[in-house]
Amino acid sequence: MCGDTVHIYVITVAATVAPESIVDELAAHGLRVKQVLAALGQIIGEGSEQVAAALRQLDAVESVDAEQHYRAIGEEG
């Protein structure tokens, strides 16, 4: 998988951090922020695998997970 491929990521921030407070820092590392889910402590954004790796190193970030899609058994598509 090429590192330049853009993925959607769900970033979970530390419980002691307000998600809105680190949006600029995530963007500075290359994440294109799409949505802030403050009540869940998560931020959704787009970026390359290199961006995700850099975000994982930040103290305020608990996890960076690629978006997953699920289908019901027998569902086409």
Side-chain angles (χ1 to χ4, degrees), residues 52-61 64:
L55 298 180
R56 287 183 182 102
Q57 302 306 309
L58 300 175
D59 290 337
V61 173
V64 178

Side-chain angles (χ1 to χ4, degrees), residues 7-42:
H7 299 282
I8 303 285
Y9 292 100
V10 178
I11 295 90
T12 302
V13 301
T16 57
V17 176
E20 301 90 343
S21 71
I22 66 163
V23 167
D24 290 340
E25 184 176 7
L26 298 179
H29 281 84
L31 185 74
R32 290 190 315 192
V33 176
K34 297 295 186 183
Q35 191 171 15
V36 177
L37 306 172
L40 299 176
Q42 295 180 324

